[in-house]
Short mmCIF file of all heavy atoms in Angstrom, two decimals:
data_model
loop_
_atom_site.label_atom_id
_atom_site.label_comp_id
_atom_site.label_asym_id
_atom_site.label_seq_id
_atom_site.Cartn_x
_atom_site.Cartn_y
_atom_site.Cartn_z
N VAL A 1 0.30 -8.34 18.20
CA VAL A 1 -0.35 -7.84 17.07
C VAL A 1 -1.89 -8.23 17.12
O VAL A 1 -2.16 -9.33 17.16
CB VAL A 1 0.22 -8.49 15.81
CG1 VAL A 1 -0.42 -7.99 14.60
CG2 VAL A 1 1.78 -8.21 15.72
N ASP A 2 -2.67 -7.20 17.18
CA ASP A 2 -4.18 -7.31 17.34
C ASP A 2 -4.75 -6.25 16.44
O ASP A 2 -5.18 -5.24 16.81
CB ASP A 2 -4.60 -7.12 18.89
CG ASP A 2 -6.04 -7.24 18.93
OD1 ASP A 2 -6.73 -7.89 18.16
OD2 ASP A 2 -6.56 -6.70 20.00
N LEU A 3 -4.79 -6.64 15.15
CA LEU A 3 -5.35 -5.80 14.08
C LEU A 3 -6.85 -5.51 14.37
O LEU A 3 -7.63 -6.57 14.46
CB LEU A 3 -5.09 -6.32 12.66
CG LEU A 3 -5.11 -5.37 11.58
CD1 LEU A 3 -4.07 -4.17 11.79
CD2 LEU A 3 -4.95 -6.03 10.34
N LEU A 4 -7.35 -4.36 14.40
CA LEU A 4 -8.66 -3.99 14.60
C LEU A 4 -9.44 -3.96 13.20
O LEU A 4 -8.92 -3.67 12.20
CB LEU A 4 -8.80 -2.56 15.16
CG LEU A 4 -8.09 -2.32 16.64
CD1 LEU A 4 -8.14 -0.94 17.00
CD2 LEU A 4 -8.69 -3.27 17.60
N GLU A 5 -10.74 -4.27 13.42
CA GLU A 5 -11.63 -4.13 12.25
C GLU A 5 -12.01 -2.70 12.15
O GLU A 5 -12.42 -1.97 13.07
CB GLU A 5 -12.96 -5.04 12.63
CG GLU A 5 -13.88 -5.18 11.45
CD GLU A 5 -15.06 -6.16 11.75
OE1 GLU A 5 -14.83 -7.40 11.56
OE2 GLU A 5 -16.04 -5.64 12.20
N ARG A 6 -11.94 -2.19 10.89
CA ARG A 6 -12.28 -0.80 10.56
C ARG A 6 -13.27 -0.76 9.39
O ARG A 6 -13.14 -1.48 8.39
CB ARG A 6 -11.10 -0.04 10.11
CG ARG A 6 -10.02 -0.05 11.21
CD ARG A 6 -10.32 0.83 12.38
NE ARG A 6 -9.05 1.29 13.11
CZ ARG A 6 -9.13 1.72 14.31
NH1 ARG A 6 -10.32 1.91 14.98
NH2 ARG A 6 -8.09 2.20 14.98
N THR A 7 -14.25 0.14 9.50
CA THR A 7 -15.28 0.36 8.51
C THR A 7 -15.30 1.81 8.07
O THR A 7 -15.72 2.69 8.97
CB THR A 7 -16.60 -0.06 8.90
OG1 THR A 7 -16.61 -1.47 9.41
CG2 THR A 7 -17.75 0.06 7.77
N ALA A 8 -14.67 2.15 6.84
CA ALA A 8 -14.70 3.56 6.47
C ALA A 8 -14.05 4.44 7.48
O ALA A 8 -14.57 5.52 7.78
CB ALA A 8 -16.16 4.01 6.04
N GLN A 9 -13.05 3.94 8.02
CA GLN A 9 -12.13 4.72 9.03
C GLN A 9 -11.28 5.79 8.33
O GLN A 9 -10.56 5.50 7.54
CB GLN A 9 -11.25 3.80 9.72
CG GLN A 9 -10.36 4.49 10.78
CD GLN A 9 -11.14 4.68 12.10
OE1 GLN A 9 -12.31 4.24 12.31
NE2 GLN A 9 -10.56 5.54 12.92
N PRO A 10 -11.42 7.09 8.66
CA PRO A 10 -10.66 8.11 8.13
C PRO A 10 -9.13 7.83 8.55
O PRO A 10 -8.66 7.67 9.62
CB PRO A 10 -11.10 9.40 8.85
CG PRO A 10 -12.53 9.20 9.26
CD PRO A 10 -12.45 7.66 9.65
N ASP A 11 -8.33 7.68 7.46
CA ASP A 11 -6.96 7.53 7.53
C ASP A 11 -6.29 7.86 6.06
O ASP A 11 -5.97 6.98 5.38
CB ASP A 11 -6.58 6.09 7.99
CG ASP A 11 -5.11 5.86 8.10
OD1 ASP A 11 -4.25 6.73 7.79
OD2 ASP A 11 -4.68 4.70 8.59
N PRO A 12 -6.11 9.19 5.89
CA PRO A 12 -5.60 9.56 4.58
C PRO A 12 -4.21 9.00 4.26
O PRO A 12 -3.83 8.85 3.07
CB PRO A 12 -5.67 11.06 4.65
CG PRO A 12 -5.67 11.42 6.15
CD PRO A 12 -6.39 10.31 6.75
N VAL A 13 -3.41 8.78 5.36
CA VAL A 13 -1.97 8.30 5.12
C VAL A 13 -1.99 6.91 4.51
O VAL A 13 -1.46 6.64 3.49
CB VAL A 13 -1.25 8.34 6.46
CG1 VAL A 13 0.15 7.69 6.25
CG2 VAL A 13 -1.06 9.81 6.94
N THR A 14 -2.76 5.95 5.22
CA THR A 14 -2.88 4.69 4.65
C THR A 14 -3.43 4.61 3.28
O THR A 14 -3.04 3.79 2.52
CB THR A 14 -3.55 3.77 5.70
OG1 THR A 14 -2.89 3.78 6.95
CG2 THR A 14 -3.66 2.26 5.19
N SER A 15 -4.58 5.29 3.19
CA SER A 15 -5.32 5.43 1.95
C SER A 15 -4.47 5.89 0.77
O SER A 15 -4.35 5.17 -0.29
CB SER A 15 -6.59 6.39 2.12
OG SER A 15 -7.20 6.54 0.86
N ARG A 16 -3.64 6.95 1.03
CA ARG A 16 -2.80 7.46 -0.12
C ARG A 16 -1.75 6.48 -0.44
O ARG A 16 -1.38 6.27 -1.64
CB ARG A 16 -2.19 8.76 0.46
CG ARG A 16 -1.45 9.54 -0.69
CD ARG A 16 -1.22 11.01 -0.27
NE ARG A 16 -0.51 11.10 0.96
CZ ARG A 16 -1.12 11.57 2.15
NH1 ARG A 16 -2.40 11.98 2.07
NH2 ARG A 16 -0.33 11.63 3.20
N LEU A 17 -1.07 5.77 0.58
CA LEU A 17 -0.06 4.79 0.26
C LEU A 17 -0.63 3.63 -0.52
O LEU A 17 -0.05 3.26 -1.57
CB LEU A 17 0.46 4.25 1.64
CG LEU A 17 1.45 5.12 2.48
CD1 LEU A 17 1.71 4.56 3.77
CD2 LEU A 17 2.80 5.41 1.62
N LEU A 18 -1.77 3.22 -0.17
CA LEU A 18 -2.36 2.01 -0.88
C LEU A 18 -2.81 2.27 -2.28
O LEU A 18 -2.53 1.57 -3.22
CB LEU A 18 -3.48 1.41 0.00
CG LEU A 18 -4.08 0.01 -0.55
CD1 LEU A 18 -3.02 -0.94 -0.84
CD2 LEU A 18 -5.07 -0.49 0.54
N LEU A 19 -3.41 3.51 -2.45
CA LEU A 19 -3.93 3.93 -3.75
C LEU A 19 -2.66 4.18 -4.74
O LEU A 19 -2.89 3.84 -5.84
CB LEU A 19 -4.77 5.18 -3.75
CG LEU A 19 -6.14 5.02 -2.99
CD1 LEU A 19 -6.80 6.26 -3.01
CD2 LEU A 19 -6.99 4.02 -3.79
N SER A 20 -1.58 4.54 -4.21
CA SER A 20 -0.42 4.71 -5.01
C SER A 20 0.12 3.42 -5.57
O SER A 20 0.67 3.39 -6.65
CB SER A 20 0.69 5.28 -4.25
OG SER A 20 1.30 4.25 -3.22
N ALA A 21 -0.25 2.21 -5.15
CA ALA A 21 0.13 0.97 -5.54
C ALA A 21 -0.66 0.69 -6.87
O ALA A 21 -0.18 -0.15 -7.72
CB ALA A 21 -0.21 -0.20 -4.60
N ALA A 22 -1.74 1.28 -7.16
CA ALA A 22 -2.61 0.96 -8.34
C ALA A 22 -1.69 1.38 -9.61
O ALA A 22 -1.99 0.71 -10.74
CB ALA A 22 -3.95 1.75 -8.38
N ASP A 23 -0.85 2.32 -9.56
CA ASP A 23 -0.14 2.71 -10.68
C ASP A 23 1.17 2.03 -10.78
O ASP A 23 1.90 2.15 -11.84
CB ASP A 23 0.30 4.08 -10.54
CG ASP A 23 -1.00 5.16 -10.50
OD1 ASP A 23 -1.83 4.90 -11.14
OD2 ASP A 23 -0.89 6.25 -9.84
N CYS A 24 1.39 1.03 -9.93
CA CYS A 24 2.64 0.25 -10.00
C CYS A 24 2.39 -1.27 -10.10
O CYS A 24 3.08 -2.09 -9.49
CB CYS A 24 3.54 0.60 -8.84
SG CYS A 24 4.20 2.24 -8.90
N LEU A 25 1.29 -1.67 -10.65
CA LEU A 25 1.04 -3.06 -10.88
C LEU A 25 1.52 -3.55 -12.21
O LEU A 25 1.67 -4.78 -12.38
CB LEU A 25 -0.42 -3.24 -10.67
CG LEU A 25 -1.19 -2.90 -9.41
CD1 LEU A 25 -2.59 -3.17 -9.47
CD2 LEU A 25 -0.48 -3.72 -8.24
N VAL A 26 1.87 -2.67 -13.09
CA VAL A 26 2.47 -3.17 -14.45
C VAL A 26 3.36 -2.04 -14.80
O VAL A 26 3.20 -0.82 -14.47
CB VAL A 26 1.45 -3.39 -15.39
CG1 VAL A 26 0.59 -4.60 -15.05
CG2 VAL A 26 0.58 -2.26 -15.70
N GLY A 27 4.45 -2.35 -15.66
CA GLY A 27 5.29 -1.27 -16.14
C GLY A 27 6.72 -1.69 -16.23
O GLY A 27 7.22 -1.96 -17.29
N ASN A 28 7.32 -1.83 -15.15
CA ASN A 28 8.74 -2.16 -15.01
C ASN A 28 9.00 -3.19 -13.96
O ASN A 28 8.71 -2.81 -12.84
CB ASN A 28 9.74 -1.07 -14.87
CG ASN A 28 11.18 -1.29 -14.88
OD1 ASN A 28 11.66 -2.03 -13.98
ND2 ASN A 28 11.83 -0.80 -15.92
N GLU A 29 9.24 -4.46 -14.27
CA GLU A 29 9.25 -5.49 -13.31
C GLU A 29 10.14 -5.20 -11.96
O GLU A 29 9.69 -5.34 -10.96
CB GLU A 29 9.74 -6.76 -13.78
CG GLU A 29 9.64 -7.89 -12.90
CD GLU A 29 9.95 -9.31 -13.55
OE1 GLU A 29 10.07 -9.32 -14.79
OE2 GLU A 29 10.07 -10.29 -12.83
N ALA A 30 11.37 -4.74 -12.28
CA ALA A 30 12.28 -4.50 -11.14
C ALA A 30 11.81 -3.32 -10.22
O ALA A 30 11.69 -3.41 -9.01
CB ALA A 30 13.68 -4.20 -11.68
N LEU A 31 11.51 -2.28 -10.87
CA LEU A 31 11.04 -1.07 -10.16
C LEU A 31 9.75 -1.36 -9.39
O LEU A 31 9.51 -1.02 -8.29
CB LEU A 31 10.80 0.11 -11.15
CG LEU A 31 12.09 0.89 -11.44
CD1 LEU A 31 11.78 1.83 -12.66
CD2 LEU A 31 12.68 1.60 -10.34
N ASP A 32 8.76 -1.98 -10.21
CA ASP A 32 7.39 -2.18 -9.61
C ASP A 32 7.55 -3.20 -8.46
O ASP A 32 6.92 -3.04 -7.39
CB ASP A 32 6.42 -2.80 -10.57
CG ASP A 32 6.10 -1.66 -11.67
OD1 ASP A 32 6.46 -0.59 -11.49
OD2 ASP A 32 5.51 -2.14 -12.69
N THR A 33 8.41 -4.23 -8.56
CA THR A 33 8.55 -5.21 -7.50
C THR A 33 9.14 -4.58 -6.19
O THR A 33 8.71 -4.76 -5.17
CB THR A 33 9.36 -6.39 -7.94
OG1 THR A 33 8.68 -7.14 -9.04
CG2 THR A 33 9.58 -7.44 -6.88
N LEU A 34 10.23 -3.76 -6.45
CA LEU A 34 10.90 -3.21 -5.30
C LEU A 34 9.90 -2.25 -4.64
O LEU A 34 9.82 -2.08 -3.34
CB LEU A 34 12.12 -2.51 -5.76
CG LEU A 34 13.15 -2.00 -4.69
CD1 LEU A 34 13.58 -3.08 -3.77
CD2 LEU A 34 14.35 -1.29 -5.31
N PHE A 35 9.18 -1.43 -5.39
CA PHE A 35 8.22 -0.58 -4.87
C PHE A 35 7.16 -1.21 -4.03
O PHE A 35 6.85 -0.80 -2.97
CB PHE A 35 7.51 0.28 -5.97
CG PHE A 35 6.44 1.17 -5.42
CD1 PHE A 35 6.73 2.47 -4.79
CD2 PHE A 35 5.06 0.88 -5.56
CE1 PHE A 35 5.78 3.31 -4.39
CE2 PHE A 35 4.15 1.72 -5.11
CZ PHE A 35 4.41 2.95 -4.60
N ARG A 36 6.60 -2.38 -4.54
CA ARG A 36 5.46 -3.00 -3.81
C ARG A 36 6.10 -3.67 -2.55
O ARG A 36 5.39 -3.62 -1.46
CB ARG A 36 4.99 -4.14 -4.70
CG ARG A 36 4.01 -3.66 -5.68
CD ARG A 36 3.25 -4.96 -6.34
NE ARG A 36 4.11 -5.86 -6.84
CZ ARG A 36 4.57 -5.90 -8.13
NH1 ARG A 36 4.31 -4.85 -8.94
NH2 ARG A 36 5.33 -6.86 -8.57
N GLN A 37 7.34 -4.11 -2.62
CA GLN A 37 7.93 -4.79 -1.39
C GLN A 37 8.16 -3.62 -0.25
O GLN A 37 7.90 -3.90 0.84
CB GLN A 37 9.30 -5.47 -1.70
CG GLN A 37 9.06 -6.71 -2.44
CD GLN A 37 10.40 -7.26 -3.12
OE1 GLN A 37 11.45 -6.59 -2.94
NE2 GLN A 37 10.38 -8.46 -3.49
N GLN A 38 8.61 -2.57 -0.58
CA GLN A 38 8.66 -1.46 0.28
C GLN A 38 7.46 -0.96 0.80
O GLN A 38 7.24 -0.70 2.03
CB GLN A 38 9.46 -0.19 -0.32
CG GLN A 38 10.91 -0.47 -0.51
CD GLN A 38 11.63 0.76 -1.24
OE1 GLN A 38 12.63 0.58 -1.81
NE2 GLN A 38 11.08 1.93 -1.00
N LEU A 39 6.39 -0.90 -0.10
CA LEU A 39 5.02 -0.41 0.27
C LEU A 39 4.43 -1.27 1.23
O LEU A 39 3.85 -0.87 2.19
CB LEU A 39 4.28 -0.18 -1.00
CG LEU A 39 2.85 0.23 -0.82
CD1 LEU A 39 2.81 1.56 -0.26
CD2 LEU A 39 1.97 0.16 -2.09
N ILE A 40 4.52 -2.60 1.03
CA ILE A 40 3.94 -3.55 1.90
C ILE A 40 4.50 -3.41 3.35
O ILE A 40 3.80 -3.50 4.37
CB ILE A 40 4.09 -4.98 1.29
CG1 ILE A 40 3.25 -5.24 0.18
CG2 ILE A 40 3.75 -6.08 2.35
CD1 ILE A 40 3.50 -6.50 -0.64
N ASP A 41 5.83 -3.35 3.33
CA ASP A 41 6.46 -3.18 4.74
C ASP A 41 5.95 -1.88 5.37
O ASP A 41 5.75 -1.78 6.58
CB ASP A 41 7.98 -3.10 4.56
CG ASP A 41 8.48 -4.60 4.50
OD1 ASP A 41 7.73 -5.52 4.31
OD2 ASP A 41 9.78 -4.74 4.39
#
């Protein structure tokens, strides 16, 4: 595992996945927690 440093690197897949988390930080504890755990993996 050798994670690279990136500066404004085009990657719409990662960007879209991470931005989707902004809508699941509050709302329903069970759903939000399960979503975040899957998203992190």
Side-chain angles (χ1 to χ4, degrees):
V1 179
D2 180 21
L3 199 59
L4 298 176
E5 190 173 273
R6 300 291 200 192
T7 304
Q9 176 79 15
D11 183 351
V13 173
T14 301
S15 175
R16 188 165 55 249
L17 285 171
L18 188 47
L19 289 177
S20 70
D23 295 329
C24 293
L25 296 182
V26 293
N28 183 292
E29 183 175 353
L31 279 171
D32 292 350
T33 299
L34 191 55
F35 176 78
R36 285 193 301 272
Q37 290 171 348
Q38 289 182 204
L39 180 65
I40 289 168
D41 282 7

